[in-house]
């Protein structure tokens, strides 16, 4: 028998001897390896890796050694067979003894037994966006696949859009119908409007009967083909006993077209009031065609708006990388699809990469930009034992992380789910419209029937003709064609005026509701503050000037990868200070940096770093503590082991914000609440400077949305202003979401109003516009 497959004694992976990366002979037995690194480890200390299973190469079927075993156990980690007498390690768990082929397997098992004993429960499958479909008008309708809403007839949409969902087929269909119907409707509309002119030029060119036939020919495809989806929805609304706008549209256009077609094709004797001076009957092809085309336009605009709403979720989904670098048991990295990563896997995150999933750092350290999730302006140092969040950006360091959450459990996917749910939540005004429609549509139909009965009973002769035409008039008048004209027109005027004032209105209901807002919730980072650290204060020590301190700091920071280096360099540049060459540069992680300038030893860093260098900080700690209480980061600079000065770096408050807050509170009578993911001390420092009393700090994205919900449940009409990804759920949950124009795309897509200049004074202008509209 020839060996067809062997086991790598280091990583326990199956190896084909013919394609093995290497082999090694030990005590008369050949061992095969999946990579050179495994071979090197084995050749250095073979005894550490040899077990009963690896001494005898594995054949297809049982090996001769395995056939003679009287009692064997399965290593729960690597699934290899182990004889108790030959096991390298033993572990007892819940009264059961487990045997292991190597000490490393026992250590893995002891750290997380359930991962190996119950893998099906431990592993969480990645989220599959779009598995459920819901109606945008009736969110309570949910199906497992694409379908049409049984209430309103609209096509159901994925509850969570995917990155590659492609074009919306319903939007394409409605757009095609609209443009074709528009071309056919314009001649009908023009010919009908000519009847209102003192001299009707069309009357002299064509006989009235020919005009009616031309209108019939043009209106037929508009009403029957272009309006077919509305007739289907009208039918479904009757079947499901949920009357809506489509019920009236279907009735109004259907009756208007049907009556006009009948009197055109087979003229009947009509009352004098229903015929023109030339004896020909009035026809309503123009009304039926124009209403159909206007409703098609409304559907196209609505579908495009819903498409833009989905962009917010797609922006969130794009934050997560599609691949990750998995660390194998051989300590090698392999690139795998993110969907295949399981809880407990180890991933390597390199400089500049996005962190794939939520987890814990187990090796290395780096500064991580978590502003997208927490709002913290300054990157945070994450080292062994610290948690990291998927979708955040790694800095210049590298580390290995153990995955703790995958799929729907990750913070990013929780944000995706919350934004999608908030956008599907029906607005209060929509619930009112639904309630009105439930009574309005049956009332109109009832009035039309009563009109027919009254005219047929006591009307002028011919009674049936009068009854029919007057009941048709009720249905046509009740059809909401006026809303199709007035609403877009008023919206166009309001959005145009808003754009001139730097206010982009993305959702009309947001502008409508802004004047009713009672509580304004404000994010800190990027909304009240600049959103980036900058050099705020510079205090030189005795014997040094500001230029001396900036020269040392900028020269060192030019070589540094520290997250605050940019603030120091920009501060030096604004003062005209040019960094000099630094030699013997050294960086002490989390403490500071040092080097030599013109042969002089210089250093920059924390108070602890200065203490390690035996630099005397007497007389400066009190000032440093004052800055820290204001939320600043304090950095000390020394030269030749002597204190040269002190820098403070902070995310500064935007100019004019304090005055705007005062006007919003005193003039607009709004309750102001600061809501931030930043640490409490920094948040309180900013709030004190702006005279804001209500502060919620260290709040995660999910909790931000919950805070908005609590305020709404207390009876408040709430507006939320923010600029970050972490604000998206709260912006979507608030009655009115306001995004800064310089904020993230996700925040802008989640908001109803965008302040293009990123200036909070735009809220005052927007409220004035809301009142005027």
């Amino acid at each position: 028998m020839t060996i067809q497959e062997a086991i790598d004694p280091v990583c326990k992976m199956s190896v084909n001897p013919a394609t093995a990366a290497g082999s090694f002979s030990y005590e008369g037995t050949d061992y095969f390896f999946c990579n050179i690194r495994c071979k090197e480890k084995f050749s250095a200390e073979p005894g550490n890796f040899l077990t009963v299973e690896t001494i005898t190469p594995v054949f297809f079927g049982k090996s001769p050694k395995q056939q003679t075993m009287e009692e064997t156990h399965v290593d729960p980690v690597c699934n290899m067979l182990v004889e108790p007498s030959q096991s390298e390690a033993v572990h007892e768990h819940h009264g059961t003894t487990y045997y292991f082929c190597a000490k490393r397997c026992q250590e893995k098992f002891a750290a997380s037994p359930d991962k190996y004993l119950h893998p099906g429960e431990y592993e969480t499958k990645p989220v599959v966006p779009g598995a459920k479909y819901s109606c945008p008008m009736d969110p309570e309708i949910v199906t497992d696949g694409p379908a049409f809403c049984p209430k309103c007839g609209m096509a159901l949409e994925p509850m969570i859009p995917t990155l590659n969902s492609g074009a919306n087929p319903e939007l394409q269909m409605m757009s095609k119908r609209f443009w074709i119907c528009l071309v056919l409707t314009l001649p009908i509309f023009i010919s009908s409007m000519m009847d209102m002119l003192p001299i009707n030029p069309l009357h002299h060119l064509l006989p009235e009967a020919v005009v009616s036939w031309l209108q019939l020919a043009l209106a037929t495809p508009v009403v029957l083909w272009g309006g077919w989806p509305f007739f289907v929805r009208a039918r479904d609304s009757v079947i499901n006993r949920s009357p809506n706008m489509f019920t009236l549209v279907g009735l109004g256009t259907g009756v208007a077209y049907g009556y006009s077609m009948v009197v055109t094709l087979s003229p009947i004797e009509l009352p004098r009031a229903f015929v023109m001076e030339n004896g020909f009957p009035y026809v309503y092809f123009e009304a039926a065609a124009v209403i159909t085309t206007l409703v098609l336009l409304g559907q196209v605009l609505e579908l495009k708006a819903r498409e833009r709403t989905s962009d917010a979720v797609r922006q969130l989904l794009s934050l997560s990388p599609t691949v990750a670098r998995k660390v194998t048991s051989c300590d090698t990295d392999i690139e795998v699809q993110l969907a295949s990563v399981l809880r407990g896997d180890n991933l390597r995150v390199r400089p500049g990469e996005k962190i794939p999933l939520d987890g814990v750092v187990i090796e290395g350290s780096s500064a991580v930009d978590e502003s997208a999730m927490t709002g913290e302006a300054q990157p945070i140092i994450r080292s062994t034992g610290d948690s990291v969040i998927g979708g955040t950006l790694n800095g210049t360091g590298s580390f290995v992380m153990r995955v703790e959450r995958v799929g729907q459990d990750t913070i990013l996917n929780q944000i995706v789910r919350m934004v999608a749910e908030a956008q599907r939540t029906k607005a209060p005004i929509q619930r009112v419209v639904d309630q009105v429609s439930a009574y309005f549509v049956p009332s109109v139909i009832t009035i039309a029937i009563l009109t027919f009965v009254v005219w047929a009973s006591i009307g002028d002769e011919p009674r049936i003709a009068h009854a029919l035409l007057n009941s048709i008039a009720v249905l046509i008048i009740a059809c909401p064609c006026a809303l199709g004209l007035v609403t877009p027109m008023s919206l166009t005027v309001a959005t145009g005026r808003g754009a001139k004032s730097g206010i982009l209105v993305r959702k009309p209901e947001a502008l409508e509701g802004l004047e009713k807002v009672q509580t304004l919730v404000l994010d800190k980072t990027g909304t009240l503050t600049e959103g980036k650290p900058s050099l705020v204060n510079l205090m030189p020590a005795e014997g040094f000037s500001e230029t001396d301190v900036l020269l040392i700091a900028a020269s060192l920071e030019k070589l540094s990868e520290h997250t605050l280096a940019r603030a120091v360099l920009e501060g030096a540049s604004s003062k005209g200070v040019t960094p000099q060459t630094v030699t013997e540069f050294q960086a002490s992680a989390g403490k500071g940096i040092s080097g030599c300038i013109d042969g002089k030893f210089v250093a920059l860093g924390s108070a602890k770093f200065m203490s390690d260098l035996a630099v005397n900080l007497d007389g400066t700690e009190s000032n440093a503590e004052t800055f820290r209480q204001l939320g600043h980061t304090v950095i000390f600079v020394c030269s030749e082991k002597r204190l040269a000065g002190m820098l403070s770096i902070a995310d500064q408050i935007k100019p004019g914000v304090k005055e705007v807050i005062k006007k919003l509170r005193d003039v607009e009578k709004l309750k102001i609440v600061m809501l931030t993911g930043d640490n409490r001390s920094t948040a309180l420092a900013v709030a004190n400077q702006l005279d804001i009393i209500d502060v919620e700090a260290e709040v995660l994205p999910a909790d931000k949305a919950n805070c908005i919900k609590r305020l709404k449940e207390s009876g408040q009409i709430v507006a939320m202003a923010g600029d970050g990804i972490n604000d998206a759920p709260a912006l979507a949950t608030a009655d009115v979401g306001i995004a800064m124009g310089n904020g993230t795309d996700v925040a802008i897509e989640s908001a109803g109003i965008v302040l293009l200049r990123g200036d909070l004074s735009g809220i005052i202008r927007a409220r004035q516009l809301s009142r005027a509209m």
Side-chain angles (χ1 to χ4, degrees):
M1 180 182 292
T2 59
I3 298 176
Q4 299 180 8
E5 186 175 305
I7 295 295
D8 184 323
V10 176
C11 65
K12 314 302 186 222
M13 293 183 65
S14 297
V15 182
N16 187 333
T19 59
S23 63
F24 186 82
S25 181
Y26 178 70
E27 294 184 353
T29 303
D30 290 331
Y31 299 94
F32 301 91
F33 305 90
C34 63
N35 59 57
I36 296 299
R37 190 168 183 180
C38 286
K39 177 184 175 182
E40 293 173 349
K41 285 185 175 183
F42 181 82
S43 60
E45 296 180 301
N48 289 346
F49 301 99
L50 293 181
T51 66
V52 172
E53 288 70 34
T54 56
I55 292 175
T56 305
V58 178
F59 297 87
F60 285 118
K62 289 186 177 181
S63 69
K65 181 70 176 177
Q66 292 170 348
Q67 293 173 359
T68 62
M69 289 181 181
E70 295 180 359
E71 179 186 4
T72 59
H73 291 261
V74 176
D75 184 323
V77 175
C78 64
N79 294 322
M80 294 190 67
L81 296 176
V82 183
E83 282 189 89
S85 60
Q86 301 292 330
S87 65
E88 292 289 328
V90 178
H91 185 87
E92 187 170 328
H93 178 67
H94 289 175
T96 302
T97 302
Y98 297 91
Y99 299 90
F100 302 89
C101 64
K103 182 66 176 175
R104 188 172 182 182
C105 287
Q106 185 271 336
E107 292 173 351
K108 287 184 176 182
F109 182 84
S112 183
D114 288 342
K115 175 181 177 180
Y116 303 100
L117 297 179
H118 309 289
E121 298 176 10
Y122 192 87
E123 296 163 5
T124 305
K125 293 184 178 179
V127 64
V128 183
K132 297 286 185 180
Y133 285 71
S134 176
C135 175
M137 296 300 295
D138 298 284
E140 67 273 13
I141 303 298
V142 178
T143 66
D144 291 329
F148 290 91
C149 178
K151 287 189 174 183
C152 67
M154 299 181 72
L156 302 185
E157 297 180 347
M159 294 178 70
I160 300 181
T162 57
L163 281 172
N164 54 353
S165 55
N168 186 339
E170 188 182 15
L171 175 58
Q172 291 180 326
M173 180 267 289
M174 286 293 182
S175 298
K176 179 181 178 181
R177 290 177 189 267
F178 166 70
W179 287 110
I180 293 175
C181 289
L182 179 64
V183 172
L184 297 174
T185 299
L186 284 176
I188 305 175
F189 179 76
I190 293 171
S191 66
S192 298
M193 292 301 102
M194 285 185 177
D195 291 339
M196 300 181 182
L197 298 176
I199 301 176
N200 186 350
L202 190 62
H203 176 73
H204 298 289
L205 294 175
L206 297 172
E208 198 64 41
V210 174
V211 174
S212 296
W213 276 91
L214 287 174
Q215 288 188 353
L216 171 62
L218 293 170
T220 297
V222 173
V223 176
L224 299 185
W225 175 74
W228 180 252
F230 309 143
F231 289 119
V232 173
R233 294 173 185 180
R235 178 204 64 191
D236 292 342
S237 70
V238 174
I239 294 174
N240 293 286
R241 299 179 182 178
S242 56
N244 51 43
M245 183 188 76
F246 296 114
T247 313
L248 289 180
V249 170
L251 276 173
T253 57
V255 171
Y257 172 79
Y259 160 77
S260 302
M261 182 183 65
V262 169
V263 299
T264 300
L265 296 178
S266 56
I268 58 176
E269 184 181 352
L270 297 173
R272 181 172 298 178
F274 296 99
V275 297
M276 296 178 286
E277 293 180 359
N278 57 12
F280 287 92
Y282 285 107
V283 291
Y284 300 96
F285 291 121
E286 174 258 343
V290 169
I291 290 172
T292 299
T293 304
L294 282 175
V295 176
L296 281 170
L297 173 61
Q299 290 297 293
V300 171
L301 294 176
E302 181 179 343
L303 288 167
K304 285 185 176 180
R306 280 155 47 192
E307 194 82 353
R308 288 194 297 270
T309 298
S310 299
D311 288 343
V313 178
R314 294 192 184 98
Q315 290 283 348
L316 284 169
L317 291 172
S318 67
L319 290 177
S320 179
T322 56
V323 296
R325 301 191 64 80
K326 183 177 179 179
V327 181
T328 68
S329 57
C330 303
D331 291 334
T332 57
D333 297 351
I334 57 173
E335 191 172 274
V336 297
Q337 293 295 314
L338 193 67
S340 66
V341 177
L342 301 175
R343 186 179 174 190
D345 286 347
N346 292 341
L347 304 178
R348 189 180 305 279
V349 183
R350 297 181 299 185
E353 291 183 339
K354 289 181 179 178
I355 297 174
L357 295 163
D358 300 353
V360 175
V361 177
I362 60 174
E363 178 185 320
S365 66
S366 180
V368 179
D369 181 0
E370 297 181 351
S371 58
M373 298 296 170
T374 65
E376 178 74 52
Q378 300 179 12
I380 307 298
I381 300 295
R382 296 300 184 194
S383 54
T384 303
D386 292 335
S387 298
V388 289
I389 304 173
T392 55
L393 184 63
N394 182 32
T396 54
S398 176
F399 60 87
V400 177
M401 59 174 285
R402 182 179 66 250
V403 176
E404 295 291 328
R405 288 190 291 265
V406 298
Q408 296 182 5
D409 295 333
T410 65
I411 292 176
L412 178 59
N413 274 315
Q414 288 175 13
I415 296 176
V416 169
R417 186 170 62 253
M418 285 185 292
V419 171
E421 288 175 354
Q423 290 175 341
R424 288 196 307 272
T425 301
K426 190 176 294 187
I429 187 65
Q430 183 60 49
R431 288 194 288 269
V432 173
V433 170
D434 291 344
Q435 292 172 1
V436 171
S437 298
Y439 293 100
F440 178 68
V441 176
S443 299
V444 169
I445 297 173
T446 301
I447 293 171
I449 295 173
L450 289 174
T451 302
F452 180 88
V453 171
V454 172
W455 277 93
S457 302
I458 59 175
D460 298 334
E461 293 292 345
R463 292 176 179 175
I464 298 300
H466 278 104
L468 177 63
L469 291 172
N470 281 296
S471 61
I472 290 172
V474 170
L475 292 175
I476 292 175
I477 291 169
C479 185
C481 55
L483 292 177
L485 290 170
V486 175
T487 303
M489 189 178 298
S490 61
L491 174 61
T492 300
V493 173
T495 53
R497 291 291 297 272
K500 291 180 181 179
S501 302
I503 302 165
L504 174 62
V505 180
R506 300 188 67 256
K507 298 176 184 177
E509 61 270 20
L511 184 60
E512 178 185 355
L514 186 57
E515 66 163 330
K516 303 172 186 176
V517 167
Q518 301 163 312
T519 299
L520 176 61
V521 181
L522 299 171
D523 172 52
K524 181 184 75 68
T525 306
T527 303
L528 298 175
T529 65
E530 297 288 352
K532 63 176 183 178
S534 58
L535 182 60
V536 179
N537 294 293
L538 194 160
M539 297 181 63
E542 186 178 350
F544 293 88
S545 66
E546 289 189 357
T547 302
D548 296 334
V549 177
L550 275 178
L551 180 63
I552 296 172
S555 301
L556 289 169
E557 293 286 25
K558 188 176 181 180
L559 302 177
S560 172
E561 298 175 344
H562 195 273
T563 55
L564 302 179
R566 181 185 231 178
V568 174
L569 291 171
E570 288 179 353
S573 177
S574 66
K575 298 285 188 180
V577 176
T578 303
Q580 294 187 4
T581 302
V582 175
T583 58
E584 301 180 28
F585 179 84
Q586 290 185 344
S588 179
K591 293 183 179 181
I593 51 181
S594 62
C596 291
I597 299 178
D598 294 333
K600 293 182 179 181
F601 176 81
V602 292
L604 174 151
S606 64
K608 177 67 167 60
F609 189 51
M610 294 294 115
S611 177
D612 293 342
L613 295 175
V615 176
N616 186 2
L617 299 181
D618 290 346
T620 61
E621 271 301 320
S622 59
N623 290 330
E625 186 58 30
T626 300
F627 291 137
R628 293 190 187 105
Q629 290 177 359
L630 293 174
H632 296 195
T633 298
V634 178
I635 299 176
F636 296 94
V637 179
C638 76
S639 175
E640 293 289 86
K641 303 289 182 79
R642 178 186 168 200
L643 181 66
M646 179 176 64
L647 309 173
S648 77
I649 297 174
D651 183 15
Q652 296 192 83
I653 295 173
K654 289 182 178 179
V657 165
K658 186 172 183 178
E659 291 74 16
V660 173
I661 295 291
K662 190 175 188 302
K663 288 182 181 179
L664 289 169
R665 183 177 54 245
D666 299 340
V667 179
E668 298 293 333
K669 305 301 180 183
L670 292 175
K671 176 184 178 182
I672 307 297
V673 179
M674 178 197 287
L675 191 62
T676 178
D678 212 340
N679 67 77
R680 178 163 294 277
S681 60
T682 302
L684 290 175
V686 173
N688 290 334
Q689 295 178 66
L690 297 176
D691 296 328
I692 297 176
I693 298 174
D694 297 305
V695 179
E696 295 282 347
E698 299 177 2
V699 182
L700 293 176
D703 296 326
K704 282 193 173 187
N706 291 334
C707 288
I708 300 295
K709 288 179 182 177
R710 286 197 299 271
L711 289 170
K712 291 172 66 175
E713 289 169 357
S714 68
Q716 298 288 305
I717 300 175
V718 182
M720 166 72 185
D723 74 315
I725 295 168
N726 61 319
D727 300 320
L731 290 171
T733 303
D735 295 298
V736 179
I738 305 172
M740 301 294 108
N742 55 354
T744 63
D745 291 342
V746 175
I748 291 173
E749 295 294 344
S750 301
I753 295 175
V754 180
L755 305 181
L756 297 176
R757 299 167 190 165
D759 180 5
L760 274 184
S761 62
I763 297 178
I764 298 175
R765 296 193 299 272
R767 275 177 62 94
Q768 294 171 346
L769 180 63
S770 177
R771 293 191 190 98
M773 189 181 73

